[in-house]
Amino acid sequence: GENVEQHPSTLSVQEGDSAVIKCTYSDSASNYFPWYKQELGKGPQLIIDIRSNVGEKKDQRIAVTLNKTAKHFSLHITETQPEDSAVYFCAATPDTGRRALTFGSGTRLQVQP
Amino acid sequence: GAVVSQHPSWVICKSGTSVKIECRSLDFQATTMFWYRQFPKQSLMLMATSNEGSKATYEQGVEKDKFLINHASLTLSTLTVTSAHPEDSSFYICSSKGQFESYEQYFGPGTRLTVT
């Protein structure tokens, strides 16, 4: 099955700096890669996703890049703000009917004001 | 994005009792719903996949007789934790996948279960 590794486990940045979180996956059949933001005591919120036919996707301060050859994808947050502080999870799923997500271990991002 | 609700948001029960958690897809029809469990400071672990009108598919190591899943309609799936024990205390989260070829999954707010 799919295995997703995520780094770093914790990340502390100053407000206004950029933050980068990286994930690798093992199943070459995976073709959908979402990123979720989870605040304490809440469910994960989909913030951006990318499919295998695209190398990069951007939505305001958030961008995701995908390298299918190397089997890794990254989340980039620019101009970080204190409200970006949360746990971020990457995930991957292969092109099967069930499309269950396999999650990375999570990154706790702390943006220092 | 789509809206998924869960009820209750938190529940405390005594060991040996059963607890039912509801997951509702509020603004779209969900052919498939997923149930996850999350322990403190850990990632989400898939428990089972619930398809409307058919039996749920459980992940390895998840007891189907203990975690009963029912997906009776396109907008409602329920998870019943039977004969709960303290080790079942966790954060249970459901997600909904849209119809047909939709990739996106939208998560509910989660249910905090504490078994005393």
mmCIF file of all heavy atoms in Angstrom, chain B residues 42-89:
data_model
loop_
_atom_site.group_PDB
_atom_site.id
_atom_site.type_symbol
_atom_site.label_atom_id
_atom_site.label_comp_id
_atom_site.label_asym_id
_atom_site.label_seq_id
_atom_site.Cartn_x
_atom_site.Cartn_y
_atom_site.Cartn_z
ATOM 1 N N GLN B 42 -0.988 12.708 16.859
ATOM 2 C CA GLN B 42 -0.701 11.726 15.822
ATOM 3 C C GLN B 42 -1.513 12.033 14.566
ATOM 4 O O GLN B 42 -2.364 12.917 14.560
ATOM 5 C CB GLN B 42 -1.010 10.313 16.330
ATOM 6 C CG GLN B 42 -0.088 9.848 17.439
ATOM 7 C CD GLN B 42 -0.275 8.381 17.752
ATOM 8 O OE1 GLN B 42 -0.787 7.613 16.943
ATOM 9 N NE2 GLN B 42 0.142 7.981 18.939
ATOM 10 N N SER B 43 -1.207 11.301 13.529
ATOM 11 C CA SER B 43 -1.898 11.506 12.265
ATOM 12 C C SER B 43 -3.244 10.788 12.260
ATOM 13 O O SER B 43 -3.600 10.099 13.213
ATOM 14 C CB SER B 43 -1.020 10.994 11.120
ATOM 15 O OG SER B 43 -1.580 11.339 9.880
ATOM 16 N N LEU B 44 -3.973 10.963 11.178
ATOM 17 C CA LEU B 44 -5.260 10.295 11.023
ATOM 18 C C LEU B 44 -5.045 8.887 10.496
ATOM 19 O O LEU B 44 -4.306 8.679 9.523
ATOM 20 C CB LEU B 44 -6.150 11.059 10.036
ATOM 21 C CG LEU B 44 -6.715 12.390 10.509
ATOM 22 C CD1 LEU B 44 -5.700 13.507 10.381
ATOM 23 C CD2 LEU B 44 -7.979 12.730 9.731
ATOM 24 N N MET B 45 -5.710 7.937 11.134
ATOM 25 C CA MET B 45 -5.612 6.557 10.703
ATOM 26 C C MET B 45 -6.976 6.098 10.196
ATOM 27 O O MET B 45 -7.970 6.172 10.912
ATOM 28 C CB MET B 45 -5.158 5.666 11.860
ATOM 29 C CG MET B 45 -3.782 5.998 12.398
ATOM 30 S SD MET B 45 -2.489 5.878 11.131
ATOM 31 C CE MET B 45 -2.566 4.134 10.750
ATOM 32 N N LEU B 46 -6.998 5.625 8.972
ATOM 33 C CA LEU B 46 -8.249 5.170 8.383
ATOM 34 C C LEU B 46 -8.752 3.924 9.102
ATOM 35 O O LEU B 46 -7.993 2.971 9.290
ATOM 36 C CB LEU B 46 -8.049 4.875 6.893
ATOM 37 C CG LEU B 46 -9.267 4.382 6.127
ATOM 38 C CD1 LEU B 46 -10.314 5.485 6.019
ATOM 39 C CD2 LEU B 46 -8.862 3.909 4.737
ATOM 40 N N MET B 47 -10.027 3.950 9.489
ATOM 41 C CA MET B 47 -10.629 2.792 10.134
ATOM 42 C C MET B 47 -11.427 1.966 9.122
ATOM 43 O O MET B 47 -11.331 0.745 9.087
ATOM 44 C CB MET B 47 -11.564 3.233 11.254
ATOM 45 C CG MET B 47 -10.910 3.985 12.383
ATOM 46 S SD MET B 47 -12.116 4.552 13.589
ATOM 47 C CE MET B 47 -12.717 3.000 14.243
ATOM 48 N N ALA B 48 -12.240 2.665 8.349
ATOM 49 C CA ALA B 48 -13.128 1.947 7.445
ATOM 50 C C ALA B 48 -13.646 2.870 6.371
ATOM 51 O O ALA B 48 -13.677 4.094 6.519
ATOM 52 C CB ALA B 48 -14.295 1.343 8.228
ATOM 53 N N THR B 49 -14.061 2.251 5.280
ATOM 54 C CA THR B 49 -14.683 2.951 4.160
ATOM 55 C C THR B 49 -16.138 2.530 4.098
ATOM 56 O O THR B 49 -16.435 1.326 4.113
ATOM 57 C CB THR B 49 -13.990 2.584 2.848
ATOM 58 O OG1 THR B 49 -12.599 2.924 2.947
ATOM 59 C CG2 THR B 49 -14.615 3.334 1.680
ATOM 60 N N SER B 50 -17.008 3.515 4.034
ATOM 61 C CA SER B 50 -18.432 3.262 4.072
ATOM 62 C C SER B 50 -19.061 3.673 2.742
ATOM 63 O O SER B 50 -18.971 4.828 2.344
ATOM 64 C CB SER B 50 -19.033 4.088 5.216
ATOM 65 O OG SER B 50 -20.433 4.098 5.167
ATOM 66 N N ASN B 51 -19.664 2.718 2.062
ATOM 67 C CA ASN B 51 -20.353 3.005 0.805
ATOM 68 C C ASN B 51 -21.850 2.889 0.995
ATOM 69 O O ASN B 51 -22.330 1.939 1.615
ATOM 70 C CB ASN B 51 -19.902 2.038 -0.283
ATOM 71 C CG ASN B 51 -18.473 2.291 -0.704
ATOM 72 O OD1 ASN B 51 -18.135 3.340 -1.222
ATOM 73 N ND2 ASN B 51 -17.608 1.316 -0.476
ATOM 74 N N GLU B 52 -22.571 3.831 0.470
ATOM 75 C CA GLU B 52 -24.013 3.873 0.633
ATOM 76 C C GLU B 52 -24.663 2.598 0.113
ATOM 77 O O GLU B 52 -24.394 2.174 -1.008
ATOM 78 C CB GLU B 52 -24.585 5.098 -0.090
ATOM 79 C CG GLU B 52 -26.066 5.318 0.141
ATOM 80 C CD GLU B 52 -26.915 4.725 -0.965
ATOM 81 O OE1 GLU B 52 -26.390 4.499 -2.070
ATOM 82 O OE2 GLU B 52 -28.108 4.494 -0.715
ATOM 83 N N GLY B 53 -25.442 1.961 0.979
ATOM 84 C CA GLY B 53 -26.188 0.778 0.603
ATOM 85 C C GLY B 53 -25.424 -0.525 0.624
ATOM 86 O O GLY B 53 -25.956 -1.568 0.238
ATOM 87 N N SER B 54 -24.175 -0.500 1.060
ATOM 88 C CA SER B 54 -23.420 -1.748 1.122
ATOM 89 C C SER B 54 -22.616 -1.817 2.422
ATOM 90 O O SER B 54 -22.552 -0.846 3.167
ATOM 91 C CB SER B 54 -22.486 -1.871 -0.075
ATOM 92 O OG SER B 54 -21.533 -0.830 -0.082
ATOM 93 N N LYS B 55 -22.035 -2.965 2.664
ATOM 94 C CA LYS B 55 -21.269 -3.150 3.893
ATOM 95 C C LYS B 55 -19.979 -2.338 3.853
ATOM 96 O O LYS B 55 -19.370 -2.173 2.804
ATOM 97 C CB LYS B 55 -20.951 -4.625 4.097
ATOM 98 C CG LYS B 55 -22.162 -5.483 4.441
ATOM 99 C CD LYS B 55 -21.737 -6.925 4.720
ATOM 100 C CE LYS B 55 -22.941 -7.771 5.120
ATOM 101 N NZ LYS B 55 -22.556 -9.178 5.410
ATOM 102 N N ALA B 56 -19.573 -1.898 5.026
ATOM 103 C CA ALA B 56 -18.342 -1.130 5.115
ATOM 104 C C ALA B 56 -17.132 -2.030 4.928
ATOM 105 O O ALA B 56 -17.174 -3.231 5.207
ATOM 106 C CB ALA B 56 -18.268 -0.428 6.466
ATOM 107 N N THR B 57 -16.053 -1.435 4.458
ATOM 108 C CA THR B 57 -14.778 -2.123 4.309
ATOM 109 C C THR B 57 -13.848 -1.643 5.409
ATOM 110 O O THR B 57 -13.553 -0.452 5.496
ATOM 111 C CB THR B 57 -14.141 -1.819 2.939
ATOM 112 O OG1 THR B 57 -15.051 -2.213 1.910
ATOM 113 C CG2 THR B 57 -12.827 -2.576 2.784
ATOM 114 N N TYR B 58 -13.393 -2.568 6.235
ATOM 115 C CA TYR B 58 -12.581 -2.204 7.390
ATOM 116 C C TYR B 58 -11.092 -2.390 7.089
ATOM 117 O O TYR B 58 -10.692 -3.304 6.380
ATOM 118 C CB TYR B 58 -12.971 -3.054 8.599
ATOM 119 C CG TYR B 58 -14.340 -2.722 9.136
ATOM 120 C CD1 TYR B 58 -15.495 -3.247 8.552
ATOM 121 C CD2 TYR B 58 -14.488 -1.873 10.226
ATOM 122 C CE1 TYR B 58 -16.755 -2.927 9.030
ATOM 123 C CE2 TYR B 58 -15.738 -1.553 10.721
ATOM 124 C CZ TYR B 58 -16.868 -2.080 10.116
ATOM 125 O OH TYR B 58 -18.117 -1.755 10.596
ATOM 126 N N GLU B 59 -10.284 -1.522 7.679
ATOM 127 C CA GLU B 59 -8.843 -1.648 7.550
ATOM 128 C C GLU B 59 -8.348 -2.769 8.465
ATOM 129 O O GLU B 59 -8.995 -3.145 9.451
ATOM 130 C CB GLU B 59 -8.157 -0.333 7.919
ATOM 131 C CG GLU B 59 -8.480 0.796 6.973
ATOM 132 C CD GLU B 59 -8.063 0.500 5.549
ATOM 133 O OE1 GLU B 59 -6.848 0.311 5.312
ATOM 134 O OE2 GLU B 59 -8.945 0.466 4.667
ATOM 135 N N GLN B 60 -7.202 -3.277 8.114
ATOM 136 C CA GLN B 60 -6.606 -4.356 8.899
ATOM 137 C C GLN B 60 -6.411 -3.913 10.335
ATOM 138 O O GLN B 60 -5.912 -2.822 10.594
ATOM 139 C CB GLN B 60 -5.271 -4.769 8.276
ATOM 140 C CG GLN B 60 -4.700 -6.055 8.835
ATOM 141 C CD GLN B 60 -3.470 -6.505 8.052
ATOM 142 O OE1 GLN B 60 -2.940 -5.758 7.236
ATOM 143 N NE2 GLN B 60 -3.021 -7.716 8.300
ATOM 144 N N GLY B 61 -6.826 -4.769 11.257
ATOM 145 C CA GLY B 61 -6.660 -4.461 12.670
ATOM 146 C C GLY B 61 -7.846 -3.754 13.299
ATOM 147 O O GLY B 61 -7.860 -3.567 14.518
ATOM 148 N N VAL B 62 -8.819 -3.357 12.514
ATOM 149 C CA VAL B 62 -10.013 -2.694 13.048
ATOM 150 C C VAL B 62 -11.126 -3.732 13.172
ATOM 151 O O VAL B 62 -11.488 -4.375 12.182
ATOM 152 C CB VAL B 62 -10.466 -1.544 12.131
ATOM 153 C CG1 VAL B 62 -11.747 -0.903 12.679
ATOM 154 C CG2 VAL B 62 -9.363 -0.509 12.005
ATOM 155 N N GLU B 63 -11.657 -3.899 14.372
ATOM 156 C CA GLU B 63 -12.667 -4.917 14.610
ATOM 157 C C GLU B 63 -14.036 -4.453 14.112
ATOM 158 O O GLU B 63 -14.615 -3.514 14.651
ATOM 159 C CB GLU B 63 -12.748 -5.211 16.107
ATOM 160 C CG GLU B 63 -11.456 -5.718 16.730
ATOM 161 C CD GLU B 63 -11.605 -5.873 18.230
ATOM 162 O OE1 GLU B 63 -12.523 -6.594 18.658
ATOM 163 O OE2 GLU B 63 -10.816 -5.257 18.981
ATOM 164 N N LYS B 64 -14.549 -5.146 13.121
ATOM 165 C CA LYS B 64 -15.825 -4.734 12.543
ATOM 166 C C LYS B 64 -16.992 -4.952 13.497
ATOM 167 O O LYS B 64 -18.017 -4.283 13.395
ATOM 168 C CB LYS B 64 -16.074 -5.456 11.219
ATOM 169 C CG LYS B 64 -16.164 -6.961 11.336
ATOM 170 C CD LYS B 64 -16.425 -7.580 9.965
ATOM 171 C CE LYS B 64 -16.541 -9.083 10.058
ATOM 172 N NZ LYS B 64 -16.783 -9.701 8.710
ATOM 173 N N ASP B 65 -16.864 -5.903 14.411
ATOM 174 C CA ASP B 65 -17.949 -6.140 15.366
ATOM 175 C C ASP B 65 -17.935 -5.122 16.499
ATOM 176 O O ASP B 65 -18.923 -4.994 17.226
ATOM 177 C CB ASP B 65 -17.844 -7.552 15.941
ATOM 178 C CG ASP B 65 -18.085 -8.613 14.893
ATOM 179 O OD1 ASP B 65 -18.844 -8.322 13.935
ATOM 180 O OD2 ASP B 65 -17.517 -9.711 15.006
ATOM 181 N N LYS B 66 -16.818 -4.426 16.651
ATOM 182 C CA LYS B 66 -16.720 -3.427 17.690
ATOM 183 C C LYS B 66 -17.081 -2.040 17.155
ATOM 184 O O LYS B 66 -17.693 -1.239 17.844
ATOM 185 C CB LYS B 66 -15.306 -3.390 18.267
ATOM 186 C CG LYS B 66 -15.133 -2.367 19.370
ATOM 187 C CD LYS B 66 -13.789 -2.519 20.039
ATOM 188 C CE LYS B 66 -13.671 -1.517 21.176
ATOM 189 N NZ LYS B 66 -14.694 -1.749 22.218
ATOM 190 N N PHE B 67 -16.696 -1.783 15.938
ATOM 191 C CA PHE B 67 -16.957 -0.488 15.308
ATOM 192 C C PHE B 67 -17.962 -0.713 14.178
ATOM 193 O O PHE B 67 -17.583 -1.021 13.046
ATOM 194 C CB PHE B 67 -15.671 0.132 14.784
ATOM 195 C CG PHE B 67 -14.653 0.417 15.861
ATOM 196 C CD1 PHE B 67 -13.607 -0.466 16.088
ATOM 197 C CD2 PHE B 67 -14.755 1.553 16.640
ATOM 198 C CE1 PHE B 67 -12.668 -0.212 17.083
ATOM 199 C CE2 PHE B 67 -13.823 1.820 17.639
ATOM 200 C CZ PHE B 67 -12.783 0.936 17.858
ATOM 201 N N LEU B 68 -19.239 -0.556 14.508
ATOM 202 C CA LEU B 68 -20.302 -0.819 13.555
ATOM 203 C C LEU B 68 -20.570 0.422 12.711
ATOM 204 O O LEU B 68 -20.809 1.499 13.234
ATOM 205 C CB LEU B 68 -21.580 -1.233 14.293
ATOM 206 C CG LEU B 68 -21.466 -2.471 15.194
ATOM 207 C CD1 LEU B 68 -22.789 -2.743 15.875
ATOM 208 C CD2 LEU B 68 -20.996 -3.676 14.405
ATOM 209 N N ILE B 69 -20.528 0.250 11.408
ATOM 210 C CA ILE B 69 -20.740 1.373 10.496
ATOM 211 C C ILE B 69 -21.963 1.109 9.638
ATOM 212 O O ILE B 69 -22.112 0.033 9.072
ATOM 213 C CB ILE B 69 -19.500 1.604 9.624
ATOM 214 C CG1 ILE B 69 -18.347 2.108 10.501
ATOM 215 C CG2 ILE B 69 -19.794 2.592 8.497
ATOM 216 C CD1 ILE B 69 -17.025 2.206 9.779
ATOM 217 N N ASN B 70 -22.806 2.124 9.557
ATOM 218 C CA ASN B 70 -24.003 2.052 8.734
ATOM 219 C C ASN B 70 -24.075 3.278 7.850
ATOM 220 O O ASN B 70 -23.922 4.399 8.309
ATOM 221 C CB ASN B 70 -25.251 1.975 9.625
ATOM 222 C CG ASN B 70 -26.509 1.819 8.797
ATOM 223 O OD1 ASN B 70 -27.047 2.786 8.263
ATOM 224 N ND2 ASN B 70 -26.975 0.594 8.679
ATOM 225 N N HIS B 71 -24.276 3.051 6.559
ATOM 226 C CA HIS B 71 -24.362 4.164 5.596
ATOM 227 C C HIS B 71 -25.686 4.022 4.857
ATOM 228 O O HIS B 71 -25.744 3.576 3.724
ATOM 229 C CB HIS B 71 -23.171 4.083 4.628
ATOM 230 C CG HIS B 71 -22.968 5.303 3.805
ATOM 231 N ND1 HIS B 71 -21.733 5.610 3.256
ATOM 232 C CD2 HIS B 71 -23.789 6.285 3.418
ATOM 233 C CE1 HIS B 71 -21.829 6.732 2.570
ATOM 234 N NE2 HIS B 71 -23.060 7.163 2.643
ATOM 235 N N ALA B 72 -26.741 4.398 5.562
ATOM 236 C CA ALA B 72 -28.089 4.117 5.088
ATOM 237 C C ALA B 72 -28.558 5.047 3.978
ATOM 238 O O ALA B 72 -29.470 4.718 3.229
ATOM 239 C CB ALA B 72 -29.064 4.171 6.258
ATOM 240 N N SER B 73 -27.951 6.224 3.872
ATOM 241 C CA SER B 73 -28.387 7.169 2.841
ATOM 242 C C SER B 73 -27.167 7.891 2.288
ATOM 243 O O SER B 73 -26.058 7.744 2.789
ATOM 244 C CB SER B 73 -29.367 8.187 3.422
ATOM 245 O OG SER B 73 -28.695 9.140 4.220
ATOM 246 N N LEU B 74 -27.391 8.687 1.256
ATOM 247 C CA LEU B 74 -26.294 9.407 0.618
ATOM 248 C C LEU B 74 -25.795 10.586 1.452
ATOM 249 O O LEU B 74 -24.840 11.249 1.082
ATOM 250 C CB LEU B 74 -26.716 9.906 -0.762
ATOM 251 C CG LEU B 74 -26.805 8.825 -1.842
ATOM 252 C CD1 LEU B 74 -27.437 9.390 -3.106
ATOM 253 C CD2 LEU B 74 -25.424 8.260 -2.159
ATOM 254 N N THR B 75 -26.470 10.861 2.573
ATOM 255 C CA THR B 75 -26.057 11.992 3.392
ATOM 256 C C THR B 75 -25.749 11.613 4.835
ATOM 257 O O THR B 75 -25.372 12.477 5.618
ATOM 258 C CB THR B 75 -27.151 13.083 3.407
ATOM 259 O OG1 THR B 75 -28.359 12.525 3.923
ATOM 260 C CG2 THR B 75 -27.385 13.631 1.999
ATOM 261 N N LEU B 76 -25.864 10.349 5.199
ATOM 262 C CA LEU B 76 -25.683 9.972 6.594
ATOM 263 C C LEU B 76 -24.942 8.655 6.734
ATOM 264 O O LEU B 76 -25.303 7.646 6.129
ATOM 265 C CB LEU B 76 -27.036 9.859 7.304
ATOM 266 C CG LEU B 76 -27.012 9.327 8.751
ATOM 267 C CD1 LEU B 76 -26.254 10.296 9.661
ATOM 268 C CD2 LEU B 76 -28.421 9.095 9.251
ATOM 269 N N SER B 77 -23.890 8.691 7.559
ATOM 270 C CA SER B 77 -23.191 7.475 7.957
ATOM 271 C C SER B 77 -23.049 7.523 9.467
ATOM 272 O O SER B 77 -22.855 8.598 10.043
ATOM 273 C CB SER B 77 -21.816 7.392 7.299
ATOM 274 O OG SER B 77 -21.106 6.242 7.753
ATOM 275 N N THR B 78 -23.166 6.370 10.106
ATOM 276 C CA THR B 78 -23.022 6.327 11.561
ATOM 277 C C THR B 78 -21.954 5.324 11.951
ATOM 278 O O THR B 78 -21.772 4.293 11.296
ATOM 279 C CB THR B 78 -24.338 5.954 12.262
ATOM 280 O OG1 THR B 78 -24.757 4.658 11.818
ATOM 281 C CG2 THR B 78 -25.420 6.971 11.970
ATOM 282 N N LEU B 79 -21.247 5.666 13.019
ATOM 283 C CA LEU B 79 -20.246 4.787 13.611
ATOM 284 C C LEU B 79 -20.681 4.509 15.037
ATOM 285 O O LEU B 79 -20.870 5.449 15.812
ATOM 286 C CB LEU B 79 -18.869 5.452 13.603
ATOM 287 C CG LEU B 79 -17.768 4.788 14.450
ATOM 288 C CD1 LEU B 79 -17.396 3.435 13.872
ATOM 289 C CD2 LEU B 79 -16.543 5.685 14.539
ATOM 290 N N THR B 80 -20.862 3.240 15.367
ATOM 291 C CA THR B 80 -21.217 2.866 16.733
ATOM 292 C C THR B 80 -20.052 2.116 17.359
ATOM 293 O O THR B 80 -19.631 1.079 16.828
ATOM 294 C CB THR B 80 -22.483 1.990 16.763
ATOM 295 O OG1 THR B 80 -23.569 2.708 16.161
ATOM 296 C CG2 THR B 80 -22.850 1.622 18.193
ATOM 297 N N VAL B 81 -19.564 2.655 18.450
ATOM 298 C CA VAL B 81 -18.505 1.987 19.208
ATOM 299 C C VAL B 81 -19.200 1.136 20.260
ATOM 300 O O VAL B 81 -19.847 1.668 21.175
ATOM 301 C CB VAL B 81 -17.565 3.003 19.870
ATOM 302 C CG1 VAL B 81 -16.433 2.287 20.598
ATOM 303 C CG2 VAL B 81 -17.003 3.973 18.823
ATOM 304 N N THR B 82 -19.121 -0.166 20.106
ATOM 305 C CA THR B 82 -19.823 -1.060 21.021
ATOM 306 C C THR B 82 -18.900 -1.498 22.167
ATOM 307 O O THR B 82 -17.690 -1.620 21.987
ATOM 308 C CB THR B 82 -20.322 -2.305 20.277
ATOM 309 O OG1 THR B 82 -19.192 -3.023 19.767
ATOM 310 C CG2 THR B 82 -21.224 -1.916 19.121
ATOM 311 N N SER B 83 -19.515 -1.692 23.332
ATOM 312 C CA SER B 83 -18.765 -2.122 24.515
ATOM 313 C C SER B 83 -17.451 -1.340 24.627
ATOM 314 O O SER B 83 -16.357 -1.907 24.604
ATOM 315 C CB SER B 83 -18.481 -3.624 24.430
ATOM 316 O OG SER B 83 -17.897 -4.093 25.630
ATOM 317 N N ALA B 84 -17.591 -0.037 24.739
ATOM 318 C CA ALA B 84 -16.419 0.842 24.723
ATOM 319 C C ALA B 84 -15.515 0.604 25.930
ATOM 320 O O ALA B 84 -15.991 0.302 27.034
ATOM 321 C CB ALA B 84 -16.870 2.295 24.683
ATOM 322 N N HIS B 85 -14.233 0.748 25.704
ATOM 323 C CA HIS B 85 -13.225 0.628 26.750
ATOM 324 C C HIS B 85 -12.358 1.881 26.747
ATOM 325 O O HIS B 85 -12.314 2.612 25.736
ATOM 326 C CB HIS B 85 -12.376 -0.618 26.537
ATOM 327 C CG HIS B 85 -13.136 -1.897 26.757
ATOM 328 N ND1 HIS B 85 -13.463 -2.352 28.017
ATOM 329 C CD2 HIS B 85 -13.647 -2.783 25.880
ATOM 330 C CE1 HIS B 85 -14.144 -3.485 27.896
ATOM 331 N NE2 HIS B 85 -14.270 -3.766 26.614
ATOM 332 N N PRO B 86 -11.657 2.158 27.836
ATOM 333 C CA PRO B 86 -10.827 3.369 27.883
ATOM 334 C C PRO B 86 -9.866 3.509 26.705
ATOM 335 O O PRO B 86 -9.615 4.633 26.248
ATOM 336 C CB PRO B 86 -10.083 3.217 29.211
ATOM 337 C CG PRO B 86 -11.034 2.462 30.078
ATOM 338 C CD PRO B 86 -11.710 1.471 29.148
ATOM 339 N N GLU B 87 -9.367 2.406 26.192
ATOM 340 C CA GLU B 87 -8.434 2.495 25.054
ATOM 341 C C GLU B 87 -9.114 2.937 23.761
ATOM 342 O O GLU B 87 -8.429 3.231 22.772
ATOM 343 C CB GLU B 87 -7.719 1.154 24.830
ATOM 344 C CG GLU B 87 -8.630 -0.026 24.633
ATOM 345 C CD GLU B 87 -8.898 -0.794 25.921
ATOM 346 O OE1 GLU B 87 -8.900 -0.157 27.009
ATOM 347 O OE2 GLU B 87 -9.097 -2.010 25.829
ATOM 348 N N ASP B 88 -10.455 2.957 23.754
ATOM 349 C CA ASP B 88 -11.187 3.459 22.591
ATOM 350 C C ASP B 88 -11.300 4.981 22.612
ATOM 351 O O ASP B 88 -11.779 5.588 21.640
ATOM 352 C CB ASP B 88 -12.597 2.850 22.531
ATOM 353 C CG ASP B 88 -12.569 1.349 22.382
ATOM 354 O OD1 ASP B 88 -11.662 0.840 21.681
ATOM 355 O OD2 ASP B 88 -13.436 0.674 22.976
ATOM 356 N N SER B 89 -10.882 5.591 23.713
ATOM 357 C CA SER B 89 -10.920 7.055 23.811
ATOM 358 C C SER B 89 -10.031 7.640 22.721
ATOM 359 O O SER B 89 -8.852 7.291 22.609
ATOM 360 C CB SER B 89 -10.425 7.510 25.184
ATOM 361 O OG SER B 89 -11.253 7.009 26.217
#
